[in-house]
Every structure is written in C-alpha cells, then in structure tokens.
Amino acid sequence: MQIIINKNAFIEKFAILFLALNFACAQAQHNEVPELQLSDKKVSNSVKNLYYKLKTISKNGFAIGHQDATSYGIGWNYEHNTAPVKSDVYEVCGDYPAVYGFDIGHLELGNDRNLDAVPFQSMRDLIIDAYKKGGIITISWHLDNPTSGGNSWDKTPAVKDIIKGGKHRDTYELWVSRVADFMKSLKTETEIVPIIFRPFHEMNGSWFWWGEGNCSPEDYKTLWIETLELLRDKHEVHNLLYAYSPNKLNPTDDYLKYYPGDDYVDILGIDIYDFKNSEDYIKSVVNDLKIVKDIASQKRKIYAFTETGLETLSTPNWFTEVLYPAIENSGIAWVLFWRNARTDHHYMPYKGHPSENDFKTFKALPKTLFLQDIKN
Ligand code: BMA
C-alpha cells in the first residue's frame, strides 16, 4: 500500500513537472524574442512591453505615424493652443496617429528649441501625453556638425573627430549627456516612457555629415556603438530601442554596409520618399522592404518603414492607390509620414486638403492602425 501511494505520488509529481515544462515551452514560444536579444539588457519593463506591442501590431497590420503630429500642423501650433492636443491627422479622419515622431536636433547645443523651433519643454509634455494615451514614440536626431558648427547637412567630415581619440570628443560627450538627460526625463507618474531612438539615419545617402562619402563605414559603426554605450552604460539610459534606418537602396547598395551589429540594433528600418514618381517609388518600396524583411527575419528583429511621404500630396489617391498596395503585405510594424510644416512642405493631409477623402478611405482599410486600434 505504502509503495502504491508512493508510486501515485511519483506519477502525480511527474505529471505536474510535465505540465510545468509544457507551460514553460508555450510561454517561450509566445514570447518568441527573448529580452536578451535587445541591445540593452537592462531595459525598463515599458520597453519590453513596447517591443511585444510592436510585434503584435506587425502581425495585424501597421501603425500609422506622423512626425511632429501634435507639435504643429497647417495653421496651428501647440505652443499657442495647448488644450486639447491637436493633430492634422485627427482633424481629417477622427483619430490620432498611433506613432509619434519627434526630432531632438539642437538639444545637443543646450537650446530651448529644436531645429524646427519646437520647444523641448512642450516636446516632453507631448511625448508623455501621447504615451499615456497609448501612442508609440520615435525620436530622430538632426544634430549639428560638431566640427564646423554647421547643421546636419553640412558635409564637413566630423565623425572621426568625435569618436574616441577625436579632437571634438569632449564636445560630443557633452552632447550625448544632454540627450541622456532628456531621455531620462520622459516619465509618467509611474513609469519611464519607452522610446524608439533613430539616430544617424539615411547614412547611405551623402547629404548628412555622418553619411556616405563624409565618413567611412567603420567610423560610422564606431560612432553608433560608442553613442549607444555612452547612453546605456555611462548615463544608464534604459528606455531606448535603437533603430537603424538607411535611405532607399540603389541597385548595388548593401543594406548592412553601415550596420553596427546585431548587439547594437533592435529595429531595422528604411526611409523612402516619393519624389513625384509613383512608379519608381512603388518599385523601391516593394523591393527594399522585402530586403529589410528578409534580413530582419533572419536576425529575428522587428522592422519598419521609418520615414516616407509625398510632399504636398500632389498625386491623387496617393494613400490608397500608391502607398497602401506597396506596403499592404510588407510586415512592417509602422510607417511614419514626415511633418506638416507648411502648405508647401507637408506629408499628411489637413482639413480642406484635396486628399482628405483618400486619407479617410485609407484609414478604413484593414491594415492601417491608428491610436484607437493599438491602444490596448
Ligand atoms: C527635413 C525637413 C527640414 C527639417 C528636418 C528635421 O526633412 O523637414 O525642414 O528641419 O527634416 O525635421
């Protein structure tokens, strides 16, 4: 009898162990990408949640993003009209974007406003507000040229001067410390806001001082790695996912030419604009997103369409007939449209613009996800 009891107990224990193992395997499968694969092993829980949220989104469609969505639009500016928070996208289609792009260019200088005159204080408020409402935040950095004092488009070689041993290294470390302070200040009452940080973008183009021809790929990679290490290790910034985003690829371009390595990148992206040539644009989008998808799948990383748009939306039905078919089955987590600065420099419709109806139709399509769609 004793033996039978023991045997039953053994079977019971074995069964429990078996179930526990099964459960653990199921969990592991559910959380496909273990947190260990992120470039920062100490990321906040909010970052981990964002990562899983992006994965889920990419399985259901793609989140719609807008640069400076709530900072200003055509005919309004948040600075002069603080409540309620406005957005041209909301005015046109009745919902806010799911992704909010901001740019911290000139933060490095200690200025109060970014290169497009957005005050950093209102940027901080709008980032926190968007996050609390369920939005996703991505930040780019059009920083000045540390060697010449010119802007991002000043091609004076500078990367060599700011990596370790360079003559402007101290200045650069000061600049990164300002970025760190800003990132760490993005907090709600209970948590730190997770940010997708996308520095030194479009490096395969030659228009930025960190771009093709103005620095070597090796120096670019070193700059990326050292910047990440300063933020992560020296300043203990743990609310960032790092996104690598080259510009549209020319036929012989290697997407990974400037890639600093799997340990330093969390999200793969690409920037492609329609320069009033839909055919060429569609070809590039389909081709390049497939390349990004293949590399991302192999590396088990998320990928996104990190910048796009057609300035002034001069092609009729651009959203539904040009863009949507090109990205519908791409698997991207989000697509970010550039800013609505002026009537001659905008990428989203605004109230009264001829593409309003096309955008409403675009919003109703199955894969386009706005704020209400991704909230939970
Ligand atoms: C560019 C333009 C510029 C702007 C910069 C950073 O593409 O929109 O006017 O200063 O982005 O936002």
Side-chain angles (χ1 to χ4, degrees):
M1 188 67 179
Q2 189 62 47
I3 291 166
I4 293 170
I5 288 170
N6 276 346
K7 195 176 165 195
N8 275 346
F10 174 77
I11 290 168
E12 204 172 282
K13 272 186 192 151
F14 184 78
I16 289 169
L17 187 70
F18 180 75
L19 283 174
L21 270 174
N22 257 346
F23 180 72
C25 287
Q27 280 290 95
Q29 266 166 10
H30 175 70
N31 294 339
E32 270 173 49
V33 179
E35 63 201 57
L36 286 174
Q37 288 190 11
L38 296 181
S39 55
D40 179 1
K41 306 289 176 256
K42 295 197 211 158
V43 278
S44 60
N45 282 333
S46 60
V47 168
K48 292 180 197 166
N49 290 338
L50 170 60
Y51 197 89
Y52 293 126
K53 186 168 173 161
L54 288 167
K55 283 222 87 162
T56 308
I57 286 172
S58 68
K59 290 192 180 121
N60 293 283
F62 38 82
I64 300 300
H66 191 198
Q67 183 74 5
D68 286 344
T70 46
S71 303
Y72 53 79
I74 303 303
W76 62 272
N77 193 308
Y78 172 77
E79 251 190 277
H80 311 126
N81 179 18
T82 51
V85 170
K86 276 172 77 99
S87 141
D88 282 347
V89 168
Y90 181 84
E91 298 292 311
V92 167
C93 75
D95 197 358
Y96 287 91
V99 175
Y100 296 75
F102 294 89
D103 194 282
I104 53 169
H106 290 185
L107 179 73
E108 72 280 1
L109 307 176
N111 290 6
D112 292 338
R113 289 170 183 266
N114 84 347
L115 74 165
D116 300 317
V118 178
F120 287 111
Q121 186 49 52
S122 43
M123 192 185 291
R124 181 182 293 113
D125 294 345
L126 289 170
I127 287 174
I128 295 169
D129 178 75
Y131 177 65
K132 281 183 168 174
K133 288 173 176 162
I136 293 166
I137 317 296
T138 174
I139 294 184
S140 50
W141 188 18
H142 283 86
L143 68 168
D144 270 5
N145 185 313
T147 297
S148 66
N151 61 23
S152 296
W153 294 266
D154 179 327
K155 299 176 179 186
T156 309
V159 173
K160 254 229 155 0
D161 295 341
I162 58 174
I163 56 181
K164 272 181 202 156
K167 60 177 184 281
H168 296 303
R169 177 67 180 185
D170 289 350
T171 305
Y172 187 63
E173 288 206 15
L174 173 66
W175 288 10
V176 174
S177 74
R178 287 176 174 146
V179 172
D181 290 345
F182 183 76
M183 295 300 189
K184 287 196 279 190
S185 76
L186 304 172
K187 305 186 271 213
T188 68
E189 295 74 20
T190 51
E191 58 181 345
I192 184 111
V193 179
I195 304 291
I196 299 157
F197 188 37
R198 195 171 64 90
F200 306 121
H201 63 305
E202 299 173 8
M203 76 303 286
N204 56 331
S206 59
W207 43 91
F208 295 130
W209 54 261
W210 57 84
E212 175 97 3
N214 309 321
C215 71
S216 70
E218 278 323 300
D219 286 349
Y220 177 93
K221 292 177 199 174
T222 303
L223 175 63
W224 181 289
I225 292 168
E226 289 182 5
T227 304
L228 187 148
E229 285 174 349
L230 283 170
L231 290 167
R232 183 192 63 190
D233 306 335
K234 179 171 180 195
H235 298 292
E236 295 273 354
V237 178
H238 296 304
N239 55 328
L240 306 182
L241 288 172
Y242 292 85
Y244 168 79
S245 68
N247 194 62
K248 164 187 147 90
L249 303 171
N250 289 314
T252 56
D253 279 0
D254 170 12
Y255 177 83
L256 295 173
K257 182 170 178 186
Y258 294 86
Y259 186 67
D262 293 347
D263 292 344
Y264 301 95
V265 171
D266 302 305
I267 298 176
L268 302 184
I270 192 145
D271 295 2
I272 307 171
Y273 282 85
D274 181 347
F275 292 104
K276 301 193 198 303
N277 182 344
S278 302
E279 214 180 298
D280 183 60
Y281 174 76
I282 292 170
K283 241 188 244 161
S284 277
V285 171
V286 171
N287 180 66
D288 292 4
L289 286 180
K290 172 78 170 65
I291 291 173
V292 179
K293 178 189 184 159
D294 289 347
I295 297 173
S297 315
Q298 185 219 328
K299 295 183 178 304
R300 307 189 70 205
K301 292 192 192 288
I302 293 170
Y303 60 101
F305 197 177
T306 38
E307 268 186 49
T308 195
L310 165 69
E311 193 178 47
T312 73
L313 295 166
S314 50
T315 305
N317 301 332
W318 185 80
F319 286 100
T320 55
E321 290 175 14
V322 177
L323 178 72
Y324 191 82
I327 62 174
E328 188 179 2
N329 297 314
S330 62
I332 51 171
W334 78 87
V335 51
L336 180 88
F337 299 92
W338 205 241
R339 65 199 198 104
N340 276 13
R342 306 177 300 272
T343 50
D344 64 347
H345 185 50
H346 72 94
Y347 297 84
M348 279 295 203
Y350 52 86
K351 202 90 201 132
H353 189 276
S355 63
E356 251 189 286
N357 277 334
D358 182 52
F359 193 74
K360 284 186 200 159
T361 312
F362 176 69
K363 178 177 182 291
L365 292 171
K367 297 269 176 89
T368 55
L369 305 174
F370 288 71
L371 186 61
Q372 292 306 318
D373 302 316
I374 66 145
K375 256 193 145 160
N376 301 310

